[in-house]
Amino acid sequence: MKIDVRLEEAPARVSEIFIGEDLIERVPGALEKALGTRSAYWIWDETVWGLWGERVESLGWLMEGSGRVIPFRASEFDKRMASVELLARRLVNGGANRDSAIIAVGGGVTGDVAGFLASIYMRGIPCFQVPTTLLAQVDSGIGGKTGVDLPEGKNLLGTFHQPEQVYIDPRFLTTLPDDELRQGMAEVIKSAMIGDEVLWKFVETNFEAIKRRDSNTLSRIISASCLLKSRIVQADEKESGVRRTLNLGHTVGHALERLTDYRLRHGDCVATGMVVAGVLSNRLGKLHAEDLQRLESICETWAMPVRIPASIKSEAIIDAVRADKKRIGDKLHFIIPVRIGKVIEFTDIDNGKFKEVLQALGAG
Ligand SMILES: NC(=O)c1ccc[n+]([C@@H]2O[C@H](COP(=O)([O-])OP(=O)(O)OC[C@H]3O[C@@H](n4cnc5c(N)ncnc54)[C@H](O)[C@@H]3O)[C@@H](O)[C@H]2O)c1
Ligand SMILES: [Zn+2]
């Protein structure tokens, strides 16, 4: 499958996303064509390099003259300016110039850091992404947001820099730990809730196949999720309107991550955040109880938390939500589901009602 994301630039630019079980074999040919005379610098998640390096090297990924591999220790702790500077110096010392390109191979951390570096290196060079976690394949690898964290908060420094091409092969997920797969599944479920009821049903009925990394099944869910995200990004690249729907579950999710010092994982927090949005919507008379039940049970099937730990105070969640950089003005704004496959933005949420919902779901 191939998805073109047309961006409102003059001249118009297209970011191409290729998805399929044969991408690992096709990358060298595709890259050679896309790079032209540019030299390539690879930034690899070092774990992924350890697992896949030999295999892809034997397939000719590191072409003659452009085989510079820079391994990167990809942890959230390393997603910071110091790493960007270090990588930039490796590029300079390796001879990278304005006619070079960066190819990022790894999860969201590698993609965000390498994409950020590409956007500022010598005022910007092209970037290619090869996402290797499910989260990166359905979410962070597409859409062009890049960035690093500050001690004060996540993703506070960043740019929009669309990748030239994205190569997504679900076979990379065969080495991905279950815990990481679950984090990505939370984003898939989110996409389905936002705008794809067919995908929702497919996920509901294909738990086993996804769990055992059946590539055909994974290809389908990745394609559907990417199509949905790319349509939204195409309509609103810089997040002034419809792109905000992608924040479903994230308003409360981010608050839970911050309040637990990131001990709770992103996808898990998004799942709980979606349930909060669902219960709120149900209490506002906008989401049918049956759909709320389906949301809770799909999260439970995937062992995602649907309740808030009692040690987290509802007031603290409300404060954290208010401090979120994505808040609009003074109002608490939420993306809430109105049925499977449809969400709306709701900006008039009463503090009292919000608190009741948080407490009903276990918050202190
Ligand atoms: N740019 C965006 O639009 C966007 C969107 C969502 C999330 N993000 C960012 O993405 C990051 C999270 O991404 P992530 O969940 O991919 O985390 P990650 O990059 O840290 O990867 C998770 C773990 O999986 C390992 N790994 C990666 N691919 C593997 C494979 N194929 N086999 C075995 N292990 C593998 C990594 O080494 C790492 O330990 C966060 O920093 C978040 O802010 C960005
Ligand atoms: Zn997310």
Side-chain angles (χ1 to χ4, degrees), residues 45-48 51-52 74-76 79 106-112 131-136 139-147 149 154-155 171-177 180 183-184 187 229 243 250 265-266:
D45 174 327
E46 64 178 20
T47 306
V48 182
L51 291 163
W52 291 89
S75 74
E76 194 66 39
K79 192 176 151 180
V109 167
T110 308
D112 277 12
T132 61
T133 62
L134 180 59
L135 185 127
D139 193 357
S140 66
I142 56 173
K145 281 192 189 175
T146 80
D149 305 336
K154 278 183 50 131
N155 299 316
R171 285 174 301 168
F172 277 116
L173 307 184
T174 54
T175 55
L176 190 71
E180 299 297 338
Q183 306 310 315
E187 303 287 357
K229 181 164 180 182
R243 188 163 181 172
H250 282 62
R265 305 285 315 273
H266 178 73

Side-chain angles (χ1 to χ4, degrees), residues 32-46:
E32 201 174 351
K33 210 159 126 206
L35 283 168
T37 56
R38 285 187 183 276
S39 54
Y41 286 75
W42 298 77
I43 297 181
W44 274 79
D45 174 327
E46 64 178 20

Side-chain angles (χ1 to χ4, degrees), residues 318-337:
I318 296 173
D319 287 348
V321 165
R322 286 197 172 281
D324 196 302
K325 71 177 189 300
K326 285 180 178 154
R327 150 182 77 102
I328 302 172
D330 238 14
K331 295 209 159 149
L332 282 182
H333 90 111
F334 270 94
I335 306 300
I336 57 171

